[in-house]
Amino acid sequence: MADIVQVTRTPLIRAGRACSRLGRWVLGLVIFLSMVATAPPGAMAAPYAAMVIDARTGEVLHSRNADTRLHPASLTKMMTLYIAFEAVRNGEISLDTKVKISRNAASEQPSKLGLKTGQRIAFRYLIRAAAVKSANDAATAIGETLAGSEAAFARRMTRTAKALGMSRTTFKNAHGLTQKGHMSTARDMTTLGRHLLYDYPEYYNLFSRRSTDAGVRKVPNTNRRLLAAYRGADGIKTGYTRAAGFNLVASAERGNERVIATVFGGKSSTSRNAKVAELLDLGFRRAPSRAKLRRPARPPYQGNRGLGTQLAGAGDSTPNGAAGKTIRVSGLVKTSLRPKGRPASAEPGTATLLAEAQTNTPTADALTTETPSAASDDAPKLDRDVLQASITAAIAEAEVIAAVAEQASTPIAKPRPFVGLRPMARPARLAENQTTAEPEPVVVTRLSTSGGRYWGINVGRYGSRYQAEKVLLRTALAEMATLDGSLRKVVRTPRGFDANFLGMTKESAALACRRLSARNITCETVGPS
């Protein structure tokens, strides 16, 4: 009898267990469907997208779903920072401007710097916090400062995106937290990363800092693991929200090659970093060893609607037809500084003295930012008399070269007397009714003394020539905008080796010193005695 009962109960128990498992499965399915139904649009993990380009040429080396509109998350801050750099360059604001934090900015969700309502903080620290810490409160404060409100700033972001060729991007906020309509693509964000690299190289070092002083505290870089693990990596920006997944735009340089890779929709920061490293490796394999650099064209300055600005003489039109104001940037170059040929003399047979060509035309702007100091802050005070003597000697040497060259170019039958070191007389100006608009011909040597280029700057005194030359090179690379075209010269004095940049105008020398001083680099302008 017991055996019969046991045989009867066993199928019933098994059936009950099966029903229990089925019930749990059905219950789980109902819960999942209810979560999907109640979740906000776009709250599920985004699909994967990727893009790899050769940064030097813009050539696409790999793409997958590159034009799919997805949530960019904190990659948004790349555009916030691009406009911040643009605003400083165009005189809207300075890096030292004190910004008052609004209640809206202070209440942003993490990641954040922890700014308080009513607090005042320098604009440079907001830039650092947004770039390195990816602080949402700092990004919002930047937008409100430049456009009056975050909504107005988002419209300016979208206008700038269109000007950059980011045709499938629309911004709704300055920080990247999920919002309806706030969308971009892997291709557009790669394009933005390339423009950050080449349009504002003086700021690009921000993205490679493992940590930085953000005014209220020191903050770590959200991308520090990839920066430490991948050889050549030096930026750019991470991003994460539940809707976006783990996003990253990364750039790396090895030798003559530079590659930018973008990933949307990573499952975790670890897997995302691994995928980006894989894509960067692919890019370096496919990129040619040598390629001619083709910088992207910088877009017209967008400014704020109704507050359009333009550089004097630059020809950029005010957006949307706004009347706008004109901001004159000190030291703006209006003509090329390439050497001009010496005119033929009225005497037959006189040769033309041609200058040594400079390879780059410098551009000047009024930007300052802090970078790791290239020169020691506690360098000894300059001996101005010795420095002035060295500058004067260099100028005299250049003029002697010009005079001797002119003597050598004169035919023997009609020798011309040596007239010492007095400047050569300029030819008469063209008649007013003459339409040819050629510049006044001047004698130009490697160290040009025409156009008032008698000035220079000193960036410190060092114990060896090698150390001084090293500082000159590092400073020239860090401040290409104002020092390009100047002559690097190490002058030995009884007290050491002076590192000088010569052949500058008074205005360009003053501008270069202001920018270098803002980076805590020792600098002093020097001119003819």
Side-chain angles (χ1 to χ4, degrees):
M1 186 67 179
D3 293 340
I4 296 175
V5 173
Q6 181 67 29
V7 170
T8 306
R9 289 178 59 188
T10 299
L12 293 176
I13 292 173
R14 290 175 178 172
R17 289 174 178 173
C19 291
S20 177
R21 286 196 297 269
L22 178 62
R24 287 196 298 270
W25 184 86
V26 171
L27 179 61
L29 178 61
V30 170
I31 294 174
F32 174 78
L33 293 176
S34 65
M35 290 174 64
V36 172
T38 57
M44 303 306 293
Y48 171 82
M51 184 84 167
V52 184
I53 67 168
D54 184 333
R56 301 165 297 176
T57 63
E59 178 187 0
V60 177
L61 304 175
H62 169 79
S63 68
R64 181 175 175 186
N65 300 328
D67 295 310
T68 303
R69 281 168 55 86
L70 301 169
H71 295 281
S74 283
L75 301 187
T76 299
K77 296 184 181 76
M78 293 164 59
M79 178 59 78
T80 301
L81 292 163
Y82 186 94
I83 294 177
F85 303 155
E86 181 184 58
V88 174
R89 170 170 285 173
N90 287 277
E92 272 189 75
I93 194 170
S94 78
L95 292 169
D96 295 317
T97 299
K98 294 291 186 180
V99 173
K100 185 176 181 179
I101 303 302
S102 70
R103 179 178 298 177
N104 179 50
S107 64
E108 291 291 4
Q109 301 177 36
S111 172
K112 58 195 300 183
L113 184 59
L115 300 171
K116 306 298 182 184
T117 304
Q119 177 181 352
R120 291 188 177 274
I121 186 170
F123 192 65
R124 70 171 68 247
Y125 293 130
L126 296 178
I127 288 177
R128 293 183 195 177
V132 177
K133 168 67 174 171
S134 195
N136 295 328
D137 49 358
T140 299
I142 290 172
E144 292 177 341
T145 299
L146 295 179
S149 70
E150 191 171 13
F153 186 70
R155 292 191 292 271
R156 176 171 172 178
M157 293 170 73
T158 302
R159 291 200 306 273
T160 304
K162 297 298 184 286
L164 289 168
M166 300 166 62
S167 59
R168 296 181 62 78
T169 295
T170 305
F171 292 108
K172 297 296 181 181
N173 59 57
H175 42 68
L177 293 174
T178 304
Q179 187 171 341
K180 184 178 180 181
H182 187 93
M183 307 291 282
S184 187
T185 68
R187 185 185 304 276
D188 284 357
M189 282 297 161
T190 306
T191 297
L192 178 56
R194 185 168 184 249
H195 274 278
L196 273 173
L197 173 65
Y198 289 114
D199 291 358
Y200 297 99
E202 62 269 46
Y203 290 101
Y204 186 72
N205 72 85
L206 281 171
F207 300 105
S208 63
R209 297 183 186 181
R210 308 296 173 85
S211 63
T212 191
D213 177 14
V216 296
R217 60 190 175 95
K218 193 171 185 178
V219 294
N221 195 319
T222 59
N223 194 31
R224 59 190 179 277
R225 291 182 179 176
L226 182 70
L227 292 173
Y230 192 85
R231 181 169 62 87
D234 55 11
I236 304 179
K237 190 74 191 71
T238 62
Y240 168 76
T241 62
R242 185 177 301 175
F246 291 84
N247 298 350
L248 176 60
V249 178
S251 178
E253 184 177 35
R254 291 180 179 177
N256 296 320
E257 301 172 21
R258 178 175 282 278
V259 173
I260 298 176
T262 298
V263 164
F264 273 63
K267 302 302 181 184
S268 68
S269 60
T270 302
S271 64
R272 174 201 64 193
N273 289 351
K275 187 62 180 179
V276 167
E278 177 185 331
L279 291 174
L280 289 171
D281 285 343
L282 179 149
F284 283 119
R285 288 196 303 269
R286 295 184 178 180
S289 297
R290 296 187 179 276
K292 184 177 180 181
L293 175 61
R294 297 198 297 267
R295 296 177 182 271
R298 187 179 297 165
Y301 177 52
Q302 296 301 306
N304 293 316
R305 191 182 299 273
L307 293 175
T309 59
Q310 66 183 53
L311 290 176
D316 293 342
S317 58
T318 303
N320 307 308
K325 61 182 179 180
T326 297
I327 295 177
R328 299 190 179 274
V329 178
S330 172
L332 183 66
V333 174
K334 296 182 180 179
T335 58
S336 170
L337 297 183
R338 294 180 184 273
K340 305 173 180 62
R342 179 177 176 82
S345 171
E347 304 175 55
T350 302
T352 300
L353 178 63
L354 296 179
E356 177 180 332
Q358 300 174 6
T359 57
N360 293 310
T361 302
T363 57
D365 48 47
L367 299 178
T368 55
T369 186
E370 181 178 322
T371 60
S373 176
S376 173
D377 291 338
D378 52 358
K381 183 174 178 59
L382 303 177
D383 187 340
R384 191 172 185 85
D385 293 336
V386 175
L387 195 55
Q388 292 287 7
S390 66
I391 297 294
T392 304
I395 294 172
E397 179 186 354
E399 292 180 336
V400 168
I401 293 172
V404 172
E406 182 177 358
Q407 289 291 323
S409 66
T410 306
I412 297 177
K414 281 185 101 175
R416 300 175 63 184
F418 183 76
V419 292
L421 303 181
R422 281 176 285 175
M424 306 297 176
R426 295 174 181 263
R429 294 180 179 272
L430 297 174
E432 293 184 1
N433 58 355
Q434 194 168 346
T435 58
T436 304
E438 295 185 2
E440 291 184 22
V442 294
V443 174
V444 181
T445 64
R446 187 162 185 258
L447 174 58
S448 173
T449 57
S450 63
R453 299 176 69 82
Y454 297 97
W455 289 74
I457 64 172
N458 178 280
V459 291
R461 177 174 295 145
Y462 303 92
S464 68
R465 180 177 296 275
Y466 171 78
Q467 186 180 8
E469 290 175 347
K470 183 178 179 181
V471 169
L472 283 175
L473 180 59
R474 290 175 59 189
T475 306
L477 292 174
E479 188 50 48
M480 294 176 62
T482 53
L483 295 179
D484 191 13
S486 62
L487 173 66
R488 299 197 299 271
K489 188 175 182 67
V490 175
V491 179
R492 184 170 186 174
T493 70
R495 298 183 182 179
F497 295 84
D498 287 344
N500 303 326
F501 289 90
L502 306 178
M504 306 172 71
T505 64
K506 183 177 181 179
E507 292 77 14
S508 63
L511 174 61
C513 253
R514 287 198 302 271
R515 289 166 59 91
L516 291 173
S517 296
R519 303 181 184 200
N520 292 329
I521 297 176
T522 300
C523 182
E524 183 174 349
T525 58
V526 291
S529 56

